[in-house]
Amino acid sequence: MTEGDLKPEYRPGLEGVPAAKSSISYVGIQTTESGNKEGVLEYRSIPIQSLAASSNFVETAFLLIWGRLPTQTELTNFSTEIYSHRRIKYRIKDMMKCFPETGHPMDALQASAAALGLFYSRHALPNQDYARQAVIRLLAKIPTMVAAFQLMRKGNDAVLPRDDLDYAANFLYMLTEKEPDPIVAKVMDVCLILHAEHTMNASTFSARVTASTLADPYTVIASAVGTLAGPLHGGANEEVILMLKQIGTVANVRPYVEQCLESDPKYKFMGFGHRVYKGVKDPRAMILQDLAEQLFQKFGYDPYYDVALELERVLEEYLGPRGIYPNVDYYSGLVYRKMGIPADLFTPVFAIARVAGWLAHWNEQLEANRIYRPTQIYTGEHQQPYMAIGDRE
Ligand code: ACO
């Protein structure tokens, strides 16, 4: 049999094609008692709203990766182990110092995540100890590497993690060199929960494909970081802020939208649209909008928020009838902006959180592994003659 013998239906973007069986998370749309439709997101069958209200990122990572909520002792041990592995080797820092300061932090993160694998055994089949060590190291060190690049590109030295600060607070401390306000740290923790997992999206698929080759988990994460970076995926949060900046004022929203659609009727507005949440607003966008408002109440308003609200209103007229609504990336940038995080770090912050989901998928992929090797529909010719270079036009 050749690939030509297979005549499967081609679905661009693999829309609707199951790529794995998974019990890690669920996304869907449900009808409420009042007859409205709403988006659903569950991690290990627990609604995202409950986790955002009551869990913390480290507990959520445990839940995603090991499939159940930890006991108090398990959570304490897991947190302590992660906190004690937050430092990165001086050789990784030296390598990062050589990165151009004008380079994008996602590229720095992808290179640093891959470099971590240089220090630990490769191609090991994940017995329990190996898997646990890799999980701890990646969850612990990825935020340190994001923060280190931010300080180094400003010409400063990376700061050491603080053992007395939890996951989110320590990340913000390493990033800004200041202990964060507890409300800001709490909001960051909720943001990490919201971004930790989202079924078979592009970067998770990428992680699973890499995992299926039995590549080591550092390579799996580096693959996934590269895939998350694109503006149609995790990179959209940075693009949203650039768009709001370009629009500038509430009065300019409608002219901006009309101008974009006039130049290209299929113009893609960043932070809108989703393969699964068709006809509903992403449930994470709603929680993020609440978090943004909490920060504005405490630390002052952001004029971009009014622009964002007006843009959502205007785009509902144009895109709502086609089922296109704000996704997770629409309001996250406003939250991070209020925390003083530069726009090009929004996607690395997303990556810090998504490491939990990627690791859960790495683990699950290896439980019943078969290397990914899909097919294609060949559209070329056959048996063409080789033409000598001098005969080509
Ligand atoms: N603005 C305007 N039109 C849109 C948008 C948008 N943001 N998103 C989708 N559409 C339109 C498309 O033009 C297409 O129209 P058509 O049927 O007339 O051809 C239709 O809606 C379907 O869109 P697709 O791009 O085919 O939808 P798909 O499921 O392939 O893509 C995606 C989903 C990539 C998220 C898309 O909506 C998009 O590009 N959005 C902007 C980028 C973005 O915000 N990405 C973040 C997604 S969330 C995440 O990855 C974390």
Side-chain angles (χ1 to χ4, degrees), residues 138-154:
L138 281 158
L139 287 171
K141 295 180 195 302
I142 293 280
T144 311
M145 296 193 300
V146 171
F149 182 66
Q150 167 62 6
L151 295 194
M152 285 173 184
R153 70 178 173 166
K154 292 195 296 185

Side-chain angles (χ1 to χ4, degrees), residues 323-364:
I324 300 162
Y325 286 92
N327 60 46
V328 66
D329 288 327
Y330 193 57
Y331 286 109
S332 62
L334 285 166
V335 173
Y336 300 144
R337 211 171 105 85
K338 197 71 226 170
M339 292 177 174
I341 297 177
D344 63 358
L345 284 183
F346 297 170
T347 318
V349 173
F350 188 156
I352 290 173
R354 190 51 65 84
V355 166
W358 292 329
L359 288 170
H361 282 272
W362 166 64
N363 221 11
E364 189 179 65

Side-chain angles (χ1 to χ4, degrees), residues 12-13 15 195 198 201-202 228 230-237 240 261 265-276 278 282 284 315 319 322 324-325 327-330 350 354:
E15 181 166 8
H195 287 85
H198 209 246
N201 54 81
L228 185 71
L232 294 188
H233 192 12
N237 54 14
V240 168
L261 291 173
K266 284 195 174 285
Y267 186 86
K268 286 256 174 106
F269 294 91
M270 291 291 127
F272 285 80
H274 198 274
R275 180 67 62 80
V276 181
K278 301 259 189 229
D282 186 326
R284 299 166 297 175
L315 284 182
L319 304 179
R322 293 161 65 200
I324 300 162
Y325 286 92
N327 60 46
V328 66
D329 288 327
Y330 193 57
F350 188 156
R354 190 51 65 84

Side-chain angles (χ1 to χ4, degrees), residues 9 21 24 42 76 82 88 120 185 210 235-236 241 265 329 336 349 353:
E9 185 194 349
K21 288 187 171 181
I24 298 168
E42 296 169 348
T76 305
I82 291 172
I88 49 174
Y120 308 108
T210 308
I241 289 296
D329 288 327
Y336 300 144
V349 173

Side-chain angles (χ1 to χ4, degrees), residues 373-387:
R373 201 330 180 170
T375 187
Q376 62 171 14
I377 295 173
Y378 177 63
T379 59
E381 303 289 326
H382 290 288
Q383 301 294 314
Q384 294 296 297
Y386 176 80
M387 193 180 282

Side-chain angles (χ1 to χ4, degrees), residues 161-203:
R162 281 231 331 241
D163 289 345
D164 59 319
L165 295 178
D166 71 13
Y167 196 90
N170 175 64
F171 167 60
L172 288 168
Y173 164 72
M174 291 189 301
L175 193 67
T176 60
E177 302 178 272
K178 283 197 306 266
E179 189 172 333
D181 182 286
I183 293 180
V184 173
K186 176 65 193 154
V187 168
M188 173 53 81
D189 196 56
V190 177
C191 288
L192 295 177
I193 293 174
L194 295 176
H195 287 85
E197 161 62 8
H198 209 246
T199 75
M200 198 54 68
N201 54 81
S203 58

